[in-house]
Amino acid sequence: MTEIKQSTRPVSKIDLWIAVLVWLIAFSLYVRTLAPSLLWDDSAEFQTLSYTLGMTHSTGYMTYILIGKLFTLIPVGNIAYRVNLMSAFFGALAVAQIFLIVRVLGSQRTAAITASLLLGLTEGFWRRAVIAELYAPAASMIASIWLFILLWNRSGKWGYLFAAGMLGGLSVGIHSTIVMTAASVLIYMAISARTKSAWLGAAAGTLLGVALTTAAFLYVDANDPPSSIYNTVYRPSLSVYGLTASDFDTPFERLFAIFPASHFWTNYFTATPEIMRARLAEYVLFFPWWEVGLIVAGMAVVFFRFRWYDGLYPVVAFLLIWGLGVTVAFSSYQDFYAVSMVFVSVWLGLGAGTLLDGLDALVRWKPARNRMMRTVTLSAASLTLILLPIWNARMDVRLAIEKGYTSFILRDHLYPILAPDSAIRNARIILKHVETNAILFSTWDKLYSFIYTAEIAMGRTDVNFHEADPADSRHLSESILAYINANIDTRPIYFTVLLDELNELYLVEQIEDSLYRIRRK
């Protein structure tokens, strides 16, 4: 196919205004269904540490934490709600960016809107845009980098590469899925970058982004509040990680403890063949037949419509991210599907655009007296393409508008609908029994719910909180035992879970249904 000439202004003002409108609609939908308060697990950790500016679990996510801090300054709701709002903001931004990417790649506005609707209304993506998590910001960063790469290729302006590189460098502190797409960027530039200014612009932006991420790490590392993962997990449990105190006493030793040299790539193909086959079958069933057809068509047409390497970029990035989700052993594999939906949505938009082009060509082939038929046919096809994603998500859209939640929020207990502050209320029940200068060990799922409630909701800074069993072995590690024995005579020590050795080594008194105080025998 003959290469079509590109404008030096690949995105029009009308496209930008439509993208803003798409963002507003998606943001309104996500805010309508947003988790209203404190959550559990990793979400509670992000809600807490965005406020206290402490280091998170591996791999640190220092850029995310600093951006989250900005959201905690918004005077609406409580601190936990404001960090949830960050996911809604970036999730909606990713939806709007899909519209722009499809437009830059040459498809009609109708097709671009269809692509945005697919991403915005897909359950796997929507659910990650209403809680404090990494995946909506990660999807937006991936879309931003891809969009800037395309804008550079169309306009020749190296500033777009500088912006893409800077976001890539900053994204080291957001999520590893973004780092994976660096392979796509390098391949794309190796094929298409012909000027020194392009490479210098990309390198300068990347160096600046990495420098800012390093500075963010050093700041959060030095801040080191009691809520930091250093204090809640690592320092009391160094033996679990094969470390001693001397291995954890400088910033870069701590950096390599939470950001090991071999990380996400070691997880590929750790699932069994049976699990991988089941996930492949499951993934295909996520999409109705018409979406599968348009996605496959879009994957093919992007190689031929303009430049073949435009098609290579999303294929490489998708396979790296989605492939990890299919082959990884751990149970949260669908998180990677949500991020890879950026590429799937664009493919669907390009397939929809090809369908509309084909219909237009078919109708134009008819005599001129059928001009009205052409208008009616294309209008009906365009309206159908826009309505189909809405129809597929109609139950959730209706519930969102009428009730403020969705079927999957209700089904999976994503957050408590009828008791939005239950995490805080339940933590208060435990904390009222915990006196000043105490130490409280908890399981990971409740750890940061306790910390948030104590430090942010109640203003208590007189209790030290730690994860009881970082190795998930139901046993106390050597370093935790040493920590307990060094403090048990001078400080009250509590557990919210009854581990195996507690009754063997200590006198255990049950205070509440899930609160135990230990004393020396």
Side-chain angles (χ1 to χ4, degrees), residues 167-183:
L167 289 177
L170 285 169
S171 296
V172 173
I174 294 180
H175 199 253
S176 57
T177 51
I178 316 169
V179 181
M180 295 178 193
T181 64

Side-chain angles (χ1 to χ4, degrees), residues 1-5 304-307 309:
M1 183 176 291
T2 304
E3 185 175 288
I4 300 173
K5 295 182 75 173
F304 306 106
R305 180 123 189 207
F306 294 115
R307 301 168 175 88
Y309 45 86

Side-chain angles (χ1 to χ4, degrees), residues 9 34 37 144 172 184 351-352 356 381 449 457 473:
R9 295 188 61 182
L34 195 66
S37 189
S144 296
V172 173
S184 293
L356 291 175
S449 300
S473 63

Side-chain angles (χ1 to χ4, degrees), residues 35-37 71-83 85 452:
S37 189
F71 276 84
T72 67
L73 303 177
I74 300 172
V76 57
N78 59 20
I79 296 298
Y81 177 85
R82 298 171 194 179
V83 183
L85 197 63
Y452 178 99

Side-chain angles (χ1 to χ4, degrees), residues 41 48 86 109 123 201 206 210 214 314 337 354 381 401-402 487 507 519:
D41 296 295
T48 304
M86 177 179 170
R109 292 189 177 105
E123 176 185 319
T206 303
V210 170
T214 303
Y337 295 169
T354 302
I401 295 170
E402 295 177 359
N487 287 280
L507 294 173
R519 292 180 172 86

Side-chain angles (χ1 to χ4, degrees), residues 32-63:
R32 176 65 175 153
T33 54
L34 195 66
S37 189
L38 180 64
L39 299 166
W40 297 272
D41 296 295
D42 293 358
S43 292
E45 180 196 16
F46 296 134
Q47 291 169 322
T48 304
L49 296 178
S50 290
Y51 183 75
T52 63
L53 291 178
M55 195 65 68
T56 70
H57 68 276
S58 178
T59 58
Y61 310 118
M62 59 291 293
T63 308

